[in-house]
Amino acid sequence: MRLASGPFLCACLACVILAGCKDEKSTAPAAVRPVRVVEVTPHRLGLVAQGAGRIQSRYVSRVGFQVDGRLVSRDVDVGAVVKKGQRLAQISAVDYQNKVTAAEADLAAARAAVDQAAPQEARYRTLLGQGWATRAAYENTLKALQSAQAQVQSAEANLRIAQNQLGYTELLAPDDGVVTATEADPGQVVSSGQPVVEISGSAEREAVFAVAGADIAHASLGIAVEVWLQGQPDIVVTGSIREISPEADSATGTYTVKVALPSPPPEMRLGAVVVGRAETEGQEVVSLPSTALLQSGAGPQVWVVGEDGKVRRQAVGLLEFDANAVIISHGLSAGEKVVTAGVNALAEGQPVKPETEVE
């Protein structure tokens, strides 16, 4: 049986042509894909902290008597507004008045001794000059005069001490302020230095906040803090951090931060609840559109366009993420170009044509 050679040769020729076309396609270079990119521009992350606090006095004095005694009166209660020099309390002055009387008597006796010794010394000085008295006799009278004069000085000092102690039986306000606590009542025997009344000075007020440990690391002295009344947000004062507690409160784990307030309005009374807001610069970060982030199981990655025009995967540290942007903490350098669109359609080493995205 004889086979027809014509159709067979045509089929072979077609196979050869198809094979040649397949080889051409396999060796053709990959197409350059246009992509949108943004240039990496690092910046400092802005940190914002906000919390509630209270208005307190910068200077709080727990005042007490400088002498011991029985409290006979306390003239102020909590909430009283006092002026400098105003009497706050008084202890019994009987014993201290007796001390003054005794000191006055001692002074009078010492002065009488001087009045007696002075003429005697003058007389013996004259007799010594005329040769009617010995040097030893004159020196004895001189010594008696000097001793009497020393007794006068001692008596005067004791009288001043007794008078001061008598004055200390009245407790006076050291400065203008508000009474925030009382710690002794009439009839009670108090010792010197024992607190009787607590006064918060009204001249300088500050806002005091309890700050969490996560935020205290970014706080520093002098940072500006915007402070406003919780119930009246339109009453605002800009202060600065004056003091940061070096250790956390054992109960709450927070740190006390005090903000000095220059010329606070009258509405910011002692004890008023206020809100403070501070902005600081944090670590250096990079902001990218959220579309730049690769959706893969190998951790956060982005496509970076190399100098050869090809893309490569780059692992990055993701600090914050939302629907519009991602904050990268590390993994990128300034000037690098990151692909922001079509990231899931690219392959490692694929050549691209960057088109800078307008931000």
Side-chain angles (χ1 to χ4, degrees), residues 108-182:
R111 286 174 175 170
V114 170
D115 292 341
Q116 182 179 1
Q120 189 79 353
E121 183 273 338
R123 184 167 59 253
Y124 269 83
R125 185 171 63 247
T126 302
L127 293 174
L128 178 63
Q130 296 175 350
W132 295 102
T134 63
R135 170 65 64 178
Y138 169 72
E139 289 180 351
N140 286 336
T141 58
L142 178 61
K143 183 178 179 180
L145 174 61
Q146 292 173 340
S147 177
Q149 291 172 336
Q151 287 297 324
V152 169
Q153 293 178 347
S154 176
E156 288 175 342
N158 289 334
L159 177 59
R160 287 194 295 270
I161 292 173
Q163 290 171 338
N164 288 340
Q165 290 180 337
L166 179 60
Y168 295 153
T169 59
E170 288 189 346
L171 183 60
L172 306 180
D175 209 340
D176 297 349
V178 178
V179 176
T180 51
T182 58

Side-chain angles (χ1 to χ4, degrees), residues 12-148:
C12 291
L13 183 59
C15 290
V16 171
I17 293 173
L18 289 173
C21 292
K22 185 176 181 180
D23 290 342
E24 282 184 13
K25 288 182 181 180
S26 63
T27 59
V32 178
R33 183 186 182 92
V35 293
R36 291 183 179 179
V37 298
V38 293
E39 187 173 327
V40 173
T41 305
H43 62 89
R44 290 287 177 182
L45 180 64
L47 301 176
V48 179
Q50 182 170 313
R54 286 187 177 275
I55 297 296
Q56 295 183 7
S57 172
R58 179 171 181 176
Y59 300 106
V60 179
S61 303
R62 300 176 68 202
V63 295
F65 293 97
Q66 293 181 251
V67 291
D68 304 339
R70 181 176 57 85
L71 190 65
V72 295
S73 68
R74 196 190 69 229
D75 304 336
V76 294
D77 291 310
V78 174
V81 178
V82 297
K83 298 295 183 180
K84 182 178 181 179
Q86 179 179 336
R87 193 176 77 175
L88 306 175
Q90 186 176 15
I91 60 175
S92 176
V94 175
D95 292 340
Y96 297 100
Q97 183 61 63
N98 291 336
K99 288 184 179 181
V100 171
T101 303
E104 290 174 341
D106 291 341
L107 178 58
R111 286 174 175 170
V114 170
D115 292 341
Q116 182 179 1
Q120 189 79 353
E121 183 273 338
R123 184 167 59 253
Y124 269 83
R125 185 171 63 247
T126 302
L127 293 174
L128 178 63
Q130 296 175 350
W132 295 102
T134 63
R135 170 65 64 178
Y138 169 72
E139 289 180 351
N140 286 336
T141 58
L142 178 61
K143 183 178 179 180
L145 174 61
Q146 292 173 340
S147 177

Side-chain angles (χ1 to χ4, degrees), residues 190-355:
V190 296
S191 58
S192 60
Q194 177 182 340
V196 175
V197 177
E198 181 183 86
I199 297 178
S200 295
S202 57
E204 293 189 45
R205 284 164 284 167
E206 58 189 10
V208 181
F209 301 92
V211 179
D215 297 325
I216 201 67
H218 305 292
S220 60
L221 299 179
I223 289 180
V225 180
E226 196 174 52
V227 179
W228 63 88
L229 284 173
Q230 188 178 53
Q232 296 175 277
D234 55 318
I235 300 178
V236 185
V237 175
T238 300
S240 60
I241 295 180
R242 181 186 69 82
E243 180 181 307
I244 301 174
S245 174
E247 58 184 5
D249 183 271
S250 58
T252 63
T254 58
Y255 295 80
T256 300
V257 174
K258 297 181 179 180
V259 178
L261 302 177
S263 303
E267 290 82 1
M268 289 188 176
R269 300 179 180 86
L270 295 176
V273 179
V274 293
V275 179
R277 185 177 188 274
E279 295 184 11
T280 60
E281 288 188 349
Q283 67 185 99
E284 193 173 72
V285 296
V286 175
S287 298
L288 297 175
S290 59
T291 54
L293 203 62
L294 277 170
Q295 297 179 358
S296 63
Q301 294 179 331
V302 296
W303 288 115
V304 175
V305 180
E307 295 182 358
D308 57 357
K310 298 179 180 180
V311 293
R312 57 178 174 83
R313 291 177 182 266
Q314 177 63 48
V316 294
L318 186 61
L319 189 62
E320 294 181 14
F321 175 86
D322 60 33
N324 298 318
V326 291
I327 305 298
I328 306 300
S329 61
H330 62 273
L332 296 175
S333 301
E336 289 183 326
K337 292 180 173 59
V338 177
V339 179
T340 61
V343 295
N344 295 317
L346 297 176
E348 184 74 27
Q350 182 175 351
V352 295
K353 180 182 178 182
E355 296 178 359

